[in-house]
Amino acid sequence: MSVDDYVTLLDWRRQVADMYSAVRAMLQQDPPAAHALWRKERDELFRSHPQSALPPEARSGFRGLRYHDYDPRFAFTAEVGKVTFELGSLEIYWLDAYSGGVFLPFRDATAGKTTYGGGRYLLDTAKSADLGSRGTALVLDFNFAYHPSCFYDPKWVCPLAGPFSRITAPIDAGERT
């Protein structure tokens, strides 16, 4: 990578961190507004940022990512570890080697139908994708689920949901195909 690539990557990470900070600030009081902000900011980053996961040729005609409308049925909190909630259980991964933090990929019954077949991400705190916590419980709001970069362009290599990160129920929330 060139020096410019590193600088634009840092800018991407800072903008994502700022976006999630703004989302966390409004999520508890107005989840639909927080979701609308997240969608707007993500669409702008994908459309115009040099580090967008979209290939450059796809950006000029880009009209926005596809999302489900906000649905409070898919918002939960759960203690860190193997999280169990109304739709099932998921393994949360602790990232020791890569700056620390938590990573929550998942695959549900929508995978390969209305979402990416490899699954989606909900939390990736190493990249600032973090909805915060309430007390000792993590906020798991699947309305903010998103596709990994490899969904948009095969140049990206992405960790996908493993066998302990699968839910048999459909999660019709967040980003969709």
mmCIF file of all heavy atoms in Angstrom, residues 137-166:
data_model
loop_
_atom_site.group_PDB
_atom_site.id
_atom_site.type_symbol
_atom_site.label_atom_id
_atom_site.label_comp_id
_atom_site.label_asym_id
_atom_site.label_seq_id
_atom_site.Cartn_x
_atom_site.Cartn_y
_atom_site.Cartn_z
ATOM 1 N N ALA A 137 -23.909 -5.511 30.045
ATOM 2 C CA ALA A 137 -24.434 -6.214 28.862
ATOM 3 C C ALA A 137 -24.124 -5.434 27.581
ATOM 4 O O ALA A 137 -24.232 -4.209 27.551
ATOM 5 C CB ALA A 137 -25.943 -6.407 28.993
ATOM 6 N N LEU A 138 -23.745 -6.168 26.553
ATOM 7 C CA LEU A 138 -23.523 -5.565 25.236
ATOM 8 C C LEU A 138 -24.852 -5.256 24.567
ATOM 9 O O LEU A 138 -25.820 -6.008 24.711
ATOM 10 C CB LEU A 138 -22.762 -6.538 24.329
ATOM 11 C CG LEU A 138 -21.311 -6.814 24.652
ATOM 12 C CD1 LEU A 138 -20.791 -7.910 23.728
ATOM 13 C CD2 LEU A 138 -20.491 -5.550 24.486
ATOM 14 N N VAL A 139 -24.889 -4.184 23.803
ATOM 15 C CA VAL A 139 -26.050 -3.878 22.977
ATOM 16 C C VAL A 139 -25.902 -4.669 21.681
ATOM 17 O O VAL A 139 -24.902 -4.548 20.978
ATOM 18 C CB VAL A 139 -26.154 -2.370 22.669
ATOM 19 C CG1 VAL A 139 -27.277 -2.092 21.676
ATOM 20 C CG2 VAL A 139 -26.361 -1.585 23.960
ATOM 21 N N LEU A 140 -26.875 -5.520 21.402
ATOM 22 C CA LEU A 140 -26.903 -6.331 20.183
ATOM 23 C C LEU A 140 -28.163 -5.952 19.416
ATOM 24 O O LEU A 140 -29.216 -6.545 19.601
ATOM 25 C CB LEU A 140 -26.920 -7.823 20.528
ATOM 26 C CG LEU A 140 -25.776 -8.348 21.387
ATOM 27 C CD1 LEU A 140 -25.999 -9.815 21.705
ATOM 28 C CD2 LEU A 140 -24.448 -8.115 20.711
ATOM 29 N N ASP A 141 -28.042 -4.957 18.583
ATOM 30 C CA ASP A 141 -29.184 -4.494 17.797
ATOM 31 C C ASP A 141 -28.943 -4.908 16.353
ATOM 32 O O ASP A 141 -28.150 -4.299 15.643
ATOM 33 C CB ASP A 141 -29.348 -2.985 17.927
ATOM 34 C CG ASP A 141 -30.645 -2.498 17.333
ATOM 35 O OD1 ASP A 141 -31.172 -3.160 16.406
ATOM 36 O OD2 ASP A 141 -31.139 -1.448 17.788
ATOM 37 N N PHE A 142 -29.625 -5.965 15.930
ATOM 38 C CA PHE A 142 -29.401 -6.540 14.606
ATOM 39 C C PHE A 142 -29.866 -5.629 13.477
ATOM 40 O O PHE A 142 -29.589 -5.902 12.312
ATOM 41 C CB PHE A 142 -30.042 -7.926 14.514
ATOM 42 C CG PHE A 142 -29.287 -8.952 15.300
ATOM 43 C CD1 PHE A 142 -29.577 -9.176 16.635
ATOM 44 C CD2 PHE A 142 -28.253 -9.667 14.724
ATOM 45 C CE1 PHE A 142 -28.867 -10.107 17.379
ATOM 46 C CE2 PHE A 142 -27.531 -10.602 15.443
ATOM 47 C CZ PHE A 142 -27.842 -10.823 16.776
ATOM 48 N N ASN A 143 -30.541 -4.546 13.796
ATOM 49 C CA ASN A 143 -30.866 -3.556 12.783
ATOM 50 C C ASN A 143 -29.600 -2.925 12.213
ATOM 51 O O ASN A 143 -29.622 -2.333 11.138
ATOM 52 C CB ASN A 143 -31.772 -2.472 13.374
ATOM 53 C CG ASN A 143 -33.143 -3.009 13.693
ATOM 54 O OD1 ASN A 143 -33.953 -3.230 12.815
ATOM 55 N ND2 ASN A 143 -33.397 -3.259 14.986
ATOM 56 N N PHE A 144 -28.488 -3.059 12.946
ATOM 57 C CA PHE A 144 -27.207 -2.510 12.514
ATOM 58 C C PHE A 144 -26.276 -3.591 11.946
ATOM 59 O O PHE A 144 -25.086 -3.352 11.770
ATOM 60 C CB PHE A 144 -26.540 -1.788 13.683
ATOM 61 C CG PHE A 144 -27.327 -0.597 14.148
ATOM 62 C CD1 PHE A 144 -28.327 -0.732 15.101
ATOM 63 C CD2 PHE A 144 -27.098 0.658 13.606
ATOM 64 C CE1 PHE A 144 -29.078 0.353 15.520
ATOM 65 C CE2 PHE A 144 -27.832 1.759 14.014
ATOM 66 C CZ PHE A 144 -28.828 1.610 14.965
ATOM 67 N N ALA A 145 -26.814 -4.758 11.621
ATOM 68 C CA ALA A 145 -26.021 -5.836 11.007
ATOM 69 C C ALA A 145 -25.611 -5.417 9.593
ATOM 70 O O ALA A 145 -26.385 -4.782 8.878
ATOM 71 C CB ALA A 145 -26.836 -7.122 10.959
ATOM 72 N N TYR A 146 -24.398 -5.763 9.226
ATOM 73 C CA TYR A 146 -23.892 -5.350 7.915
ATOM 74 C C TYR A 146 -23.074 -6.455 7.258
ATOM 75 O O TYR A 146 -22.543 -7.335 7.932
ATOM 76 C CB TYR A 146 -23.062 -4.060 8.046
ATOM 77 C CG TYR A 146 -21.837 -4.192 8.919
ATOM 78 C CD1 TYR A 146 -20.592 -4.458 8.364
ATOM 79 C CD2 TYR A 146 -21.920 -4.062 10.305
ATOM 80 C CE1 TYR A 146 -19.460 -4.574 9.155
ATOM 81 C CE2 TYR A 146 -20.809 -4.175 11.102
ATOM 82 C CZ TYR A 146 -19.576 -4.428 10.530
ATOM 83 O OH TYR A 146 -18.465 -4.559 11.319
ATOM 84 N N HIS A 147 -23.005 -6.378 5.926
ATOM 85 C CA HIS A 147 -22.237 -7.356 5.158
ATOM 86 C C HIS A 147 -20.743 -7.073 5.278
ATOM 87 O O HIS A 147 -20.333 -5.911 5.318
ATOM 88 C CB HIS A 147 -22.623 -7.296 3.674
ATOM 89 C CG HIS A 147 -24.008 -7.772 3.410
ATOM 90 N ND1 HIS A 147 -24.933 -7.030 2.735
ATOM 91 C CD2 HIS A 147 -24.630 -8.928 3.736
ATOM 92 C CE1 HIS A 147 -26.066 -7.703 2.649
ATOM 93 N NE2 HIS A 147 -25.907 -8.852 3.255
ATOM 94 N N PRO A 148 -19.930 -8.130 5.295
ATOM 95 C CA PRO A 148 -18.483 -7.924 5.290
ATOM 96 C C PRO A 148 -18.018 -7.386 3.939
ATOM 97 O O PRO A 148 -18.717 -7.502 2.928
ATOM 98 C CB PRO A 148 -17.920 -9.320 5.562
ATOM 99 C CG PRO A 148 -18.988 -10.266 5.137
ATOM 100 C CD PRO A 148 -20.294 -9.552 5.322
ATOM 101 N N SER A 149 -16.850 -6.791 3.916
ATOM 102 C CA SER A 149 -16.314 -6.174 2.697
ATOM 103 C C SER A 149 -16.226 -7.136 1.525
ATOM 104 O O SER A 149 -16.425 -6.738 0.375
ATOM 105 C CB SER A 149 -14.916 -5.592 2.978
ATOM 106 O OG SER A 149 -14.989 -4.597 3.958
ATOM 107 N N CYS A 150 -15.963 -8.410 1.785
ATOM 108 C CA CYS A 150 -15.828 -9.387 0.697
ATOM 109 C C CYS A 150 -17.139 -9.603 -0.059
ATOM 110 O O CYS A 150 -17.131 -10.128 -1.167
ATOM 111 C CB CYS A 150 -15.259 -10.699 1.207
ATOM 112 S SG CYS A 150 -16.172 -11.419 2.581
ATOM 113 N N PHE A 151 -18.266 -9.186 0.501
ATOM 114 C CA PHE A 151 -19.532 -9.256 -0.209
ATOM 115 C C PHE A 151 -19.516 -8.322 -1.427
ATOM 116 O O PHE A 151 -20.103 -8.625 -2.458
ATOM 117 C CB PHE A 151 -20.684 -8.867 0.734
ATOM 118 C CG PHE A 151 -21.996 -8.656 0.038
ATOM 119 C CD1 PHE A 151 -22.718 -9.732 -0.446
ATOM 120 C CD2 PHE A 151 -22.518 -7.385 -0.132
ATOM 121 C CE1 PHE A 151 -23.944 -9.549 -1.091
ATOM 122 C CE2 PHE A 151 -23.737 -7.184 -0.766
ATOM 123 C CZ PHE A 151 -24.447 -8.271 -1.254
ATOM 124 N N TYR A 152 -18.836 -7.204 -1.317
ATOM 125 C CA TYR A 152 -18.834 -6.170 -2.352
ATOM 126 C C TYR A 152 -17.741 -6.358 -3.393
ATOM 127 O O TYR A 152 -17.901 -5.944 -4.535
ATOM 128 C CB TYR A 152 -18.660 -4.786 -1.722
ATOM 129 C CG TYR A 152 -19.684 -4.514 -0.677
ATOM 130 C CD1 TYR A 152 -19.361 -4.604 0.678
ATOM 131 C CD2 TYR A 152 -20.990 -4.207 -1.018
ATOM 132 C CE1 TYR A 152 -20.305 -4.374 1.649
ATOM 133 C CE2 TYR A 152 -21.949 -3.990 -0.049
ATOM 134 C CZ TYR A 152 -21.597 -4.068 1.276
ATOM 135 O OH TYR A 152 -22.537 -3.860 2.236
ATOM 136 N N ASP A 153 -16.617 -6.913 -2.983
ATOM 137 C CA ASP A 153 -15.471 -7.010 -3.880
ATOM 138 C C ASP A 153 -14.600 -8.190 -3.434
ATOM 139 O O ASP A 153 -14.211 -8.255 -2.259
ATOM 140 C CB ASP A 153 -14.674 -5.703 -3.826
ATOM 141 C CG ASP A 153 -13.585 -5.609 -4.878
ATOM 142 O OD1 ASP A 153 -13.111 -6.649 -5.379
ATOM 143 O OD2 ASP A 153 -13.190 -4.469 -5.201
ATOM 144 N N PRO A 154 -14.278 -9.122 -4.349
ATOM 145 C CA PRO A 154 -13.480 -10.296 -3.963
ATOM 146 C C PRO A 154 -12.043 -9.975 -3.569
ATOM 147 O O PRO A 154 -11.340 -10.851 -3.076
ATOM 148 C CB PRO A 154 -13.537 -11.188 -5.208
ATOM 149 C CG PRO A 154 -13.906 -10.292 -6.330
ATOM 150 C CD PRO A 154 -14.698 -9.170 -5.749
ATOM 151 N N LYS A 155 -11.600 -8.726 -3.747
ATOM 152 C CA LYS A 155 -10.237 -8.387 -3.319
ATOM 153 C C LYS A 155 -10.100 -8.426 -1.797
ATOM 154 O O LYS A 155 -9.010 -8.526 -1.277
ATOM 155 C CB LYS A 155 -9.808 -7.023 -3.853
ATOM 156 C CG LYS A 155 -10.300 -5.844 -3.070
ATOM 157 C CD LYS A 155 -9.699 -4.536 -3.566
ATOM 158 C CE LYS A 155 -10.049 -3.392 -2.641
ATOM 159 N NZ LYS A 155 -9.390 -2.174 -2.999
ATOM 160 N N TRP A 156 -11.232 -8.346 -1.074
ATOM 161 C CA TRP A 156 -11.217 -8.363 0.376
ATOM 162 C C TRP A 156 -11.291 -9.788 0.887
ATOM 163 O O TRP A 156 -12.003 -10.615 0.346
ATOM 164 C CB TRP A 156 -12.395 -7.560 0.940
ATOM 165 C CG TRP A 156 -12.389 -6.134 0.521
ATOM 166 C CD1 TRP A 156 -13.128 -5.578 -0.477
ATOM 167 C CD2 TRP A 156 -11.597 -5.085 1.052
ATOM 168 N NE1 TRP A 156 -12.849 -4.241 -0.591
ATOM 169 C CE2 TRP A 156 -11.907 -3.910 0.341
ATOM 170 C CE3 TRP A 156 -10.655 -5.024 2.080
ATOM 171 C CZ2 TRP A 156 -11.312 -2.692 0.618
ATOM 172 C CZ3 TRP A 156 -10.059 -3.800 2.352
ATOM 173 C CH2 TRP A 156 -10.394 -2.659 1.627
ATOM 174 N N VAL A 157 -10.574 -10.067 1.954
ATOM 175 C CA VAL A 157 -10.617 -11.364 2.622
ATOM 176 C C VAL A 157 -11.259 -11.130 3.985
ATOM 177 O O VAL A 157 -10.807 -10.276 4.747
ATOM 178 C CB VAL A 157 -9.202 -11.956 2.787
ATOM 179 C CG1 VAL A 157 -9.257 -13.263 3.554
ATOM 180 C CG2 VAL A 157 -8.543 -12.131 1.437
ATOM 181 N N CYS A 158 -12.323 -11.858 4.270
ATOM 182 C CA CYS A 158 -13.108 -11.603 5.483
ATOM 183 C C CYS A 158 -13.278 -12.866 6.309
ATOM 184 O O CYS A 158 -13.586 -13.922 5.764
ATOM 185 C CB CYS A 158 -14.505 -11.111 5.105
ATOM 186 S SG CYS A 158 -14.540 -9.674 4.037
ATOM 187 N N PRO A 159 -13.157 -12.747 7.629
ATOM 188 C CA PRO A 159 -13.556 -13.877 8.469
ATOM 189 C C PRO A 159 -15.074 -13.995 8.436
ATOM 190 O O PRO A 159 -15.782 -12.987 8.457
ATOM 191 C CB PRO A 159 -13.050 -13.489 9.860
ATOM 192 C CG PRO A 159 -12.899 -12.009 9.821
ATOM 193 C CD PRO A 159 -12.652 -11.622 8.400
ATOM 194 N N LEU A 160 -15.565 -15.199 8.339
ATOM 195 C CA LEU A 160 -17.007 -15.423 8.248
ATOM 196 C C LEU A 160 -17.509 -16.140 9.497
ATOM 197 O O LEU A 160 -16.731 -16.607 10.323
ATOM 198 C CB LEU A 160 -17.327 -16.225 6.990
ATOM 199 C CG LEU A 160 -16.897 -15.568 5.680
ATOM 200 C CD1 LEU A 160 -17.210 -16.477 4.502
ATOM 201 C CD2 LEU A 160 -17.539 -14.209 5.493
ATOM 202 N N ALA A 161 -18.807 -16.235 9.610
ATOM 203 C CA ALA A 161 -19.436 -16.862 10.768
ATOM 204 C C ALA A 161 -19.117 -18.344 10.816
ATOM 205 O O ALA A 161 -19.366 -19.069 9.862
ATOM 206 C CB ALA A 161 -20.949 -16.640 10.711
ATOM 207 N N GLY A 162 -18.588 -18.785 11.946
ATOM 208 C CA GLY A 162 -18.280 -20.198 12.138
ATOM 209 C C GLY A 162 -19.484 -20.956 12.679
ATOM 210 O O GLY A 162 -20.580 -20.408 12.814
ATOM 211 N N PRO A 163 -19.301 -22.218 13.023
ATOM 212 C CA PRO A 163 -20.420 -23.061 13.454
ATOM 213 C C PRO A 163 -21.099 -22.600 14.748
ATOM 214 O O PRO A 163 -22.258 -22.915 14.973
ATOM 215 C CB PRO A 163 -19.803 -24.444 13.624
ATOM 216 C CG PRO A 163 -18.341 -24.215 13.726
ATOM 217 C CD PRO A 163 -18.043 -22.959 12.978
ATOM 218 N N PHE A 164 -20.401 -21.832 15.595
ATOM 219 C CA PHE A 164 -21.005 -21.363 16.842
ATOM 220 C C PHE A 164 -21.574 -19.954 16.695
ATOM 221 O O PHE A 164 -21.945 -19.316 17.681
ATOM 222 C CB PHE A 164 -19.989 -21.410 17.982
ATOM 223 C CG PHE A 164 -19.494 -22.802 18.237
ATOM 224 C CD1 PHE A 164 -18.186 -23.150 17.926
ATOM 225 C CD2 PHE A 164 -20.343 -23.766 18.752
ATOM 226 C CE1 PHE A 164 -17.734 -24.434 18.152
ATOM 227 C CE2 PHE A 164 -19.892 -25.058 18.980
ATOM 228 C CZ PHE A 164 -18.585 -25.398 18.675
ATOM 229 N N SER A 165 -21.636 -19.496 15.459
ATOM 230 C CA SER A 165 -22.144 -18.156 15.164
ATOM 231 C C SER A 165 -23.333 -18.239 14.217
ATOM 232 O O SER A 165 -23.474 -17.431 13.308
ATOM 233 C CB SER A 165 -21.033 -17.306 14.544
ATOM 234 O OG SER A 165 -19.962 -17.176 15.439
ATOM 235 N N ARG A 166 -24.149 -19.245 14.431
ATOM 236 C CA ARG A 166 -25.291 -19.453 13.529
ATOM 237 C C ARG A 166 -26.591 -19.507 14.300
ATOM 238 O O ARG A 166 -26.672 -20.090 15.369
ATOM 239 C CB ARG A 166 -25.094 -20.728 12.733
ATOM 240 C CG ARG A 166 -23.832 -20.606 11.894
ATOM 241 C CD ARG A 166 -23.613 -21.679 10.941
ATOM 242 N NE ARG A 166 -22.356 -21.373 10.240
ATOM 243 C CZ ARG A 166 -22.003 -21.954 9.154
ATOM 244 N NH1 ARG A 166 -22.772 -22.866 8.617
ATOM 245 N NH2 ARG A 166 -20.875 -21.632 8.579
#
